Amino acid sequence: MADSAAARPTVLVTGAGGRTGNIVYNKLKERSEQFIARGLVRTEESKQKIGGADDVYIADIRDADHLAPAVQGADALIILTSAVPKMKPGFDPSKGGRPEFYYEDGMYPEQVDWIGQTNQIDAAKAAGVKHIVLVGSMGGTNPNHPLNSLGNGNILVWKRKAEQYLADSGVPYTIIRPGGLQDKDGGLRELIVGKDDELLQTDTKSIPRADVAEVCVQALQYEEAKFKAFDLASKPKLWAHQQRTFGRCSPRSLHGFDQQFEVSAVLHCIPSGPVLDI
């Protein structure tokens, strides 16, 4: 028993109070025979919302000095922090036009997705973390992507810069760039991997948060996941009789049949080539 416990890696999930981060944190907690889970959130309110356990730390990722206690002794880090644009009040869809967005003071992408993420990477490297999984976003190859115009934040630009920083850090990494995130059940769709936003030219541009979370967790278990960056999306939901017939990875896709699908199949389908081209 002692040997089994010692073999479990300690995994810190930052952004554990967010919709995707909370799924990852809970998955790790559910697999306590495999992982020792830690979470990191920004406020006491967020900590209480996800259960208030002692393994949830409170820290401001924009302040590097706040991160050391949470990352100390961790074997792996999953970064799920992100700036979040807010819609300006007063928008009336019945009048046409488009809503306007803004970022709260101090919470712009440069501060959260660049400074906050590089702080996490530096803290993890200093603490001897052996693997960092970073969840970014598709769309980063296009500086004119509409997401960059929201609140004049250039969010995808700063996310890509943080990805490059991680790739240059020397710490083994996995960079996952999902499409549009959906609040739907996981393990029910064929997953598709790609590179350099090629999936944005297809109809497969979105993916359930639960599937992204599962890939994050399983990426920790396979050497094939390290030093790789890929886009991730899913096809529409499969019918039950279809799900039972799948089990092998066709080129650039994975046919999932339950929530515990083999992410190693996804990883073998990732196109080779440079991590980034900024």
Side-chain angles (χ1 to χ4, degrees):
M1 291 292 290
D3 290 342
S4 175
R8 293 182 299 159
T10 296
V11 184
L12 173 64
V13 181
T14 61
R19 282 182 288 175
T20 308
N22 188 232
I23 298 172
V24 174
Y25 172 71
N26 285 333
K27 282 179 176 289
L28 293 170
K29 295 281 282 187
E30 291 165 1
R31 299 173 200 182
S32 58
E33 76 286 354
Q34 295 177 276
F35 303 102
I36 299 173
R38 290 183 188 173
L40 186 141
V41 297
R42 190 165 60 92
T43 66
E44 178 66 32
E45 181 183 7
S46 293
K47 177 174 179 175
Q48 295 308 317
K49 282 184 178 179
I50 64 172
D54 291 339
D55 58 29
V56 178
Y57 293 74
I58 300 172
D60 186 341
I61 61 171
R62 300 167 299 174
D63 187 336
D65 294 336
H66 286 186
L67 295 171
V71 77
Q72 192 64 41
D75 298 292
L77 168 65
I78 302 178
I79 299 176
L80 279 152
T81 53
S82 178
V84 179
K86 296 181 178 293
M87 185 185 299
K88 289 184 177 181
F91 173 67
D92 185 350
S94 66
K95 296 181 179 179
R98 295 182 178 181
E100 296 184 6
F101 292 85
Y102 71 100
Y103 291 95
E104 294 179 342
D105 289 343
M107 301 300 290
Y108 274 78
E110 181 178 3
Q111 296 156 312
V112 177
D113 294 277
W114 171 241
I115 296 173
Q117 291 191 3
T118 56
N119 282 346
Q120 293 175 69
I121 294 164
D122 289 344
K125 184 174 182 178
V129 166
K130 305 175 185 67
H131 189 184
I132 298 176
V133 177
L134 171 62
V135 177
S137 174
M138 283 200 285
T141 61
N142 178 13
N144 297 316
H145 192 284
L147 287 179
N148 285 326
S149 67
L150 297 182
N152 295 316
N154 284 321
I155 188 167
L156 298 181
V157 173
W158 293 112
K159 284 182 181 293
R160 279 280 170 142
K161 287 182 178 293
E163 291 176 8
Q164 186 68 65
Y165 190 87
L166 173 57
D168 293 338
S169 71
V171 180
Y173 63 84
T174 305
I175 297 170
I176 303 169
R177 304 185 191 110
L181 295 170
Q182 301 172 315
D183 295 315
K184 296 181 179 180
D185 292 337
L188 301 174
R189 295 161 178 82
E190 179 183 349
L191 300 187
I192 307 295
V193 295
K195 205 171 182 72
D196 297 329
D197 291 334
E198 61 187 2
L199 296 180
L200 292 180
Q201 309 306 315
T202 72
D203 293 331
T204 53
K205 304 174 185 178
S206 60
I207 183 170
R209 295 177 188 274
D211 283 338
V212 175
E214 184 67 25
V215 172
C216 287
V217 172
Q218 291 205 36
L220 300 174
Q221 300 176 276
Y222 295 95
E223 285 297 314
E224 298 96 328
K226 293 179 179 178
F227 301 105
K228 289 188 177 178
F230 56 96
D231 300 342
L232 184 66
S234 67
K235 290 187 176 181
K237 182 177 177 180
L238 302 170
W239 295 105
H241 74 277
Q242 291 178 300
Q243 294 165 33
R244 289 193 296 268
T245 66
F246 295 136
R248 293 172 55 192
C249 177
S250 58
R252 299 196 178 195
S253 67
L254 170 69
H255 302 289
F257 54 89
D258 61 31
Q259 188 62 23
Q260 298 285 335
F261 56 76
E262 291 283 345
V263 73
S264 60
V266 171
L267 300 170
H268 280 106
C269 295
I270 299 169
S272 59
V275 174
L276 300 171
D277 184 14
I278 296 177

